[in-house]
Amino acid sequence: MNSQLNVLYIDDERENLIVFRSSFKRNFNVFVANSTKEAWPILETELIQVVISDQRMPIQTGTEFFTELKDQRPDIIRILRTGYADFDD
């Protein structure tokens, strides 16, 4: 039985998805999505325990996505990442 955590990483930059998957696939079951829209089908079919999301994405920010996610799946650990030092985000 596989006891690794299921982690979903969301980022609009494909290179970041590739690096994340290759860096963490030995320790976690890694799922990746290029947008929050791509993330929802994964969340509906997989038992995801941790979601890591980029903040700045074209259609929906990470915080906007996490607000929706908290309402639907409050049990999921949510981690927001950003490469910007914008405190307003």
Side-chain angles (χ1 to χ4, degrees):
M1 182 175 175
N2 188 350
S3 62
Q4 293 180 330
L5 287 175
N6 292 335
V7 177
L8 171 60
Y9 179 59
I10 308 164
D11 197 314
D12 62 315
E13 294 185 33
R14 291 213 182 268
E15 297 82 14
N16 291 345
L17 300 175
I18 293 166
V19 170
F20 185 88
R21 177 179 273 154
S22 63
S23 298
F24 294 102
K25 67 182 178 183
R26 288 188 178 96
N27 298 316
F28 304 100
N29 295 319
V30 176
F31 299 84
V32 295
N34 193 237
S35 67
T36 57
K37 184 178 179 179
E38 283 184 17
W40 285 114
I42 297 169
L43 289 162
E44 291 170 0
T45 58
E46 303 294 336
L47 181 60
I48 302 294
Q49 287 105 2
V50 178
V51 175
I52 302 169
S53 178
D54 186 20
Q55 168 60 9
R56 290 192 179 185
M57 292 183 286
I59 297 171
Q60 185 179 40
T61 67
T63 53
E64 292 168 341
F65 174 73
F66 282 164
T67 299
E68 291 177 21
L69 182 61
K70 183 181 178 194
D71 291 339
Q72 295 185 26
R73 297 277 307 277
D75 56 313
I76 292 178
I77 296 169
R78 298 169 305 277
I79 300 172
L80 186 68
R81 63 159 295 280
T82 185
Y84 298 94
D86 186 349
F87 292 110
D88 291 334
D89 283 346

